């Protein structure tokens, strides 16, 4: 494999990432980093780009820097060899660089550190308001550009590491710019939210500053800040980063990828996600390399959403790699490549829009960014229940829906968010009045639309109450806050629940549907998203699916035959693409680190609406023309089996 031109990230599809966060134990960096080693990677994997280490969270650079803080010992300049070989084969080279988190920088320069709530300099984190960005980050990346001609940088330890800063100069600026004289130090203090938002804007300005400076220095240089403008930072892209990227969880990776891909795919920027090629305890020494099918399953989730894919392998303490692991990436890369023509940059067709409310999340979170606590558990639970019901789901934020774009979605679902901005709520109601369908989940969210839904609480919300929800002739327990209600005239009870695991008593209303204007509003009076995330039951899934189908009876695609199938409906020029991903297997089991078997599912019946007499129906990657049966409103296809990923291409 040799290209005449290195691809830009916007053109790239497949990458491979290496890092080792050089530390005090690194005394022989470069000893085994040879041209042969890097050629081995490129010839086996044939990546569009490679990312390798240059500075990790410890802050010690793994190349002989003259600007930064070098690791203790070098035998050679490994980064120079990475650049020479990747350039020879036309492969782009990016470096892994830790930004906000730089332990060495704040150790040597305590005045660069963020100051914590107790008034002490942080031992790891730099201040986004301080001189670090101009004294080290920008000069060091310029050094990397000049000395190594790198194509770009993947900056780690950024939004997810940033924290509130109690430096004297920061507090003085906060007082001056806001007029607020109090210094809030805990979530219950006055103006804590304003202080937090001040620091969010501080991070945006920090990011904007170095992106603009580096683009000015070299206009074609490409920059990503890890997890910026993603689930961790759910807001419009207001900084001129060149691409979006993030490394999803090393365990429960399929569910992590399902969530992260949908958060980032709607942001209208080139994007990719990084899988960890190993699994096990986050910080444990006993992490093991994943199997081929395990990584193929994860990749399928990302590819079906139109994104690029990369996988992360550790470098050794001297900067070399474990060559044997490249057989994994070779097979995964080949798997991805055959799917590239009908996956990469495909555009999702709006079906179910699931709201990730920026306003509600930022009010709820005590961190600046990063949903690593419980803030997005309800959102993730509803997403998983919808995907387990074979719904094609996009995660959308307010800015994706405003200014008339709500009408693109036949159904909008609002999980257990406790707050909506007034103008956005009003726009949602206009959407419903014009014929849209809205589904709100949980007592608090339902209360935001109480008059429109048409209910009165019969008693206060019952916290952490067990109710047995009914679907057909089956019951299952849900433990969550529950709102007993009395429905107004015209509101239709949709689902019922009981106080005991029996159906002999008088049932209570669990969900309802109300006509409003030309549209309808469905409501669930329990926090089923959180309940499903922490303890999924088929009954909760089926009740939610029934409610969705009541409000949205005619999705473009319906799949029958297994609940272990993710459905993504997308378009390419002159083609519709229906992606089916097998999500069976123990990927969510915390006691299973590596598995090498994914049970196939099927037979599957796939109904596709709005397609009449298509020119061709082809199953990929087999490139097999498949017969179909005409329906009054489309076609029906039968697939005997789904291994991991299949795409159905319909050409009209």
């Amino acid at each position: 494999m040799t290209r005449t031109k290195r691809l830009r990230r916007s053109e790239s599809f497949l990458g491979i990432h290496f890092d080792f966060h050089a530390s005090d134990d690194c005394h022989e960096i470069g000893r085994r980093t040879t041209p042969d080693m890097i050629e081995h990677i490129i010839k086996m994997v044939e990546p569009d780009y490679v990312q390798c280490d240059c500075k990790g969270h410890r802050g010690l650079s793994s190349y002989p820097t003259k600007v930064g803080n070098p690791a203790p010992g070098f035998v050679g300049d490994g980064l120079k060899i990475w650049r020479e070989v990747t350039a020879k084969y036309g492969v782009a080279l990016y470096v892994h660089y830790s930004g906000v988190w730089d332990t060495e920088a704040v150790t040597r320069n305590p005045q660069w550190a963020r100051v914590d709530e107790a008034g002490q300099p942080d031992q790891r984190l730099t201040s986004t308001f301080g001189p670090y960005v101009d004294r080290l980050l920008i000069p060091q990346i310029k050094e990397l550009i000049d000395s190594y001609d790198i194509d770009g940088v993947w900056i780690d330890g950024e939004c997810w590491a940033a924290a509130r800063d109690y430096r004297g100069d920061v507090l003085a600026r906060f007082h001056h710019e806001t007029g607020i004289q109090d210094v809030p130090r805990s979530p219950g203090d006055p103006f804590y939210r304003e202080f937090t938002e001040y620091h969010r804007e501080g991070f945006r300005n920090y990011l904007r500053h170095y992106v603009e400076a580096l683009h000015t220095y070299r206009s074609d240089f490409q920059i990503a800040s890890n997890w910026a403008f993603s689930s961790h930072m759910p807001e419009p892209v207001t900084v001129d980063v060149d691409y979006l990227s993030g490394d999803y969880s090393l365990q429960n990776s399929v569910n992590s990828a399902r969530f992260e891909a949908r958060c980032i795919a709607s942001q209208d920027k080139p994007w990719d996600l990084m899988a960890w090629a190993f699994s096990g305890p986050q910080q444990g020494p006993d992490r093991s390399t994943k199997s081929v099918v395990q990584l193929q399953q994860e990749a399928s989730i990302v590819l079906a959403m139109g994104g690029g894919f990369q996988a992360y392998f550790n470098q050794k303490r001297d900067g070399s790699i474990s060559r044997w692991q490249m057989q994994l990436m070779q097979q995964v890369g080949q798997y991805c490549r055959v799917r590239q023509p009908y996956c990469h940059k495909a555009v999702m067709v709006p079906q179910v829009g699931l709201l990730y409310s920026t306003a509600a999340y930022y009010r709820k979170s005590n961190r600046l960014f990063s949903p690593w606590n419980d803030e997005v558990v309800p959102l993730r639970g509803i997403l998983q229940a919808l995907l387990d019901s074979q719904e094609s789901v996009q995660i959308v934020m307010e800015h994706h829906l405003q200014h008339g774009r709500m009408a693109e979605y036949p159904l909008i679902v609002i999980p257990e968010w406790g707050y909506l901005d007034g103008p956005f709520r009003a726009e949602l109601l206009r959407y419903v009045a014009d014929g849209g369908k809205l589904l709100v989940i949980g007592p608090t969210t339902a209360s935001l639309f109480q008059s429109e839904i048409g209910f009165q609480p019969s008693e206060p919300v019952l916290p952490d109450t067990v109710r047995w929800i009914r679907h057909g002739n089956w019951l299952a327990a849900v433990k969550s806050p529950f709102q007993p209600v009395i429905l107004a005239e015209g509101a239709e009870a949709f689902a019922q629940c009981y106080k005991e695991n029996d159906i002999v008593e008088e049932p209570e209303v669990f969900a309802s549907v109300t006509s409003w204007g030309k549209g309808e509003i469905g409501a669930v009076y329990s926090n089923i998203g959180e309940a499903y995330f922490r303890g999924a039951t088929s009954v909760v899934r089926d009740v939610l699916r029934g409610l969705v189908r009541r409000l949205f009876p005619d999705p473009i695609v319906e799949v029958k035959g297994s609940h272990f199938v993710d459905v993504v409906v997308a378009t390419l020029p002159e083609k519709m693409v229906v992606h089916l991903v097998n999500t069976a297997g123990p990927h969510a089991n915390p006691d299973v680190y590596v598995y090498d078997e994914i049970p196939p599912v099927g037979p599957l019946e796939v109904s596709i609406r709005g397609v009449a007499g298509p020119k061709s129906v082809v199953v990929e990657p087999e490139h097999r023309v498949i017969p179909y049966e005409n329906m009054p409103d489309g076609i029906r296809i039968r697939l005997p089996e789904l291994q991991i990923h299949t795409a159905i291409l319909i050409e009209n």
Side-chain angles (χ1 to χ4, degrees), residues 230-497:
S230 68
S231 70
H232 294 50
M233 192 176 170
E235 58 184 58
V237 181
T238 55
V239 178
D240 188 27
V241 290
D242 297 275
Y243 62 102
L244 305 181
S245 186
D247 53 322
Y248 58 81
S249 172
L250 82 165
Q251 285 193 277
N252 197 8
S253 303
V254 168
N255 285 329
S256 182
R258 290 164 112 186
F259 174 62
E260 301 297 354
R262 284 168 175 79
C263 289
I264 206 169
S266 299
Q267 290 286 51
D268 294 326
K269 295 289 287 187
W271 67 277
D272 58 68
L273 284 179
M274 181 195 300
W276 290 45
F278 46 90
S279 187
Q282 180 76 32
Q283 302 298 332
D286 55 335
R287 299 183 298 192
S288 297
T289 304
K290 290 177 178 175
S291 72
V292 172
V293 296
Q294 193 171 359
L295 213 55
Q296 286 174 340
Q297 186 180 43
E298 295 176 27
S300 298
I301 300 290
V302 178
L303 302 186
M305 294 296 297
F309 180 75
Q310 58 172 312
Y312 161 35
F313 295 82
N314 280 131
Q315 289 169 262
K316 299 177 184 178
R317 305 315 291 163
D318 64 358
S320 62
I321 68 158
S322 298
R323 291 194 182 204
W324 79 268
Q325 296 175 338
M326 292 303 99
Q327 63 181 321
L328 166 62
M329 196 59 196
Q330 179 186 42
Q331 294 180 63
V332 173
Q334 291 168 349
Y335 175 92
C336 293
R337 285 296 189 196
V338 298
R339 290 163 169 78
Q340 182 173 355
Y342 48 87
C343 287
H344 197 209
K345 302 184 182 180
V347 178
M348 283 194 72
V349 178
Q351 292 286 273
V352 177
L354 177 61
L355 179 67
Y356 189 155
S357 172
T358 304
Y361 168 68
Y362 281 160
R363 290 173 70 93
K364 188 177 181 182
S365 176
N366 290 327
R367 295 173 61 96
L368 300 191
F369 306 102
S370 299
W372 285 345
N373 297 314
D374 292 336
E375 294 92 344
V376 296
V377 162
L379 171 64
R380 293 188 62 172
I382 294 297
L383 173 65
Q384 288 178 204
L386 290 170
L387 294 177
D388 292 349
S389 301
Q390 288 61 68
E391 302 295 337
S392 183
V393 185
Q394 288 174 267
I395 290 179
V396 288
M397 302 164 200
E398 285 95 338
H399 64 280
H400 298 138
L401 293 174
Q402 291 170 322
H403 311 301
R405 295 183 64 184
M406 289 183 187
E408 299 173 11
Y409 292 87
L411 175 65
I412 295 174
V413 180
I414 304 179
E416 294 103 292
W417 294 117
Y419 172 83
L420 294 174
D421 280 336
F424 183 72
R425 177 188 177 279
E427 194 166 350
L428 282 167
L429 290 176
R430 286 195 295 272
Y431 157 80
V432 177
D434 291 339
K437 306 296 178 67
L438 182 65
L439 174 57
V440 298
I441 310 291
T444 304
T445 311
S447 70
L448 301 176
F449 299 91
Q450 181 177 335
S451 62
E452 293 82 9
I453 293 169
F455 73 87
Q456 288 295 327
S458 60
E459 54 184 299
V461 174
L462 306 175
D464 290 329
T465 296
V466 176
R467 286 293 187 271
W468 277 265
I469 181 175
R470 180 176 182 177
H471 182 262
N473 293 319
W474 214 262
L475 303 182
V478 174
K479 182 182 179 183
S480 89
F482 174 68
Q483 175 65 76
V485 301
I486 300 171
L487 297 180
E489 184 178 352
E492 167 195 346
F494 180 83
Q496 299 173 328
C497 63

Side-chain angles (χ1 to χ4, degrees), residues 81-123:
I81 299 172
W82 281 100
R83 174 71 286 179
E84 289 174 349
V85 178
T86 53
K88 173 183 174 182
Y89 286 93
V91 174
L93 179 66
Y94 296 77
V95 293
H96 167 263
Y97 185 100
S98 188
V100 171
W101 184 350
D102 189 320
T103 302
E104 187 70 15
V106 298
T107 299
R108 297 190 181 205
N109 305 278
Q111 70 277 15
W112 293 2
R114 166 245 178 192
V115 171
D116 67 19
E117 290 78 358
Q120 299 300 312
D122 199 295
Q123 300 300 303

Side-chain angles (χ1 to χ4, degrees), residues 149-222:
D149 188 33
I150 60 172
D151 295 276
V153 62
W154 193 89
I155 302 190
D156 200 0
E158 284 275 277
C159 69
W160 57 268
R164 282 169 290 271
D165 192 349
Y166 292 84
R167 288 162 50 107
D169 59 323
V170 175
L171 297 180
R173 289 169 59 178
F174 174 71
H175 297 327
H176 175 73
E177 293 176 21
T178 67
I180 298 171
Q181 298 304 308
D182 294 343
V183 179
R185 298 183 185 274
S186 63
D189 292 345
F191 305 111
Y192 192 76
R193 186 180 303 142
E194 290 81 356
F195 192 63
T196 300
E197 183 52 45
Y198 183 80
H199 283 81
R200 289 181 181 132
E201 184 61 18
F203 175 80
R204 296 180 195 110
N205 289 332
Y206 151 87
L207 177 58
R208 189 175 294 113
H209 173 61
Y210 77 68
V211 168
E212 290 177 353
L214 293 172
H215 280 162
T216 298
Y217 192 71
R218 198 177 94 180
S219 61
D220 64 345
F221 190 68
Q222 298 162 87

Side-chain angles (χ1 to χ4, degrees), residues 504-561:
V504 295
E505 64 179 16
E506 187 70 20
E508 298 175 281
V509 175
F510 193 80
S512 67
V513 176
T514 307
S515 296
W516 201 81
K518 298 178 182 178
E520 292 179 304
I521 304 177
V524 178
Y525 302 103
S526 173
N527 287 348
I528 60 172
E530 184 173 359
Y532 195 85
F533 184 87
R534 301 195 188 284
T537 67
S538 57
V539 171
V540 168
R541 177 201 66 204
D542 290 344
V543 167
L544 179 62
R545 184 184 187 279
L547 191 51
V548 167
R549 197 55 65 243
R550 166 67 175 77
L551 294 166
F552 178 28
D554 299 314
I556 291 176
V557 175
E558 284 191 275
V559 174
K560 297 178 181 178

Side-chain angles (χ1 to χ4, degrees), residues 162 405 409 422 489 501 563 620 651:
R405 295 183 64 184
Y409 292 87
E489 184 178 352
N501 191 10
H563 288 289
E620 298 286 5
E651 184 174 359

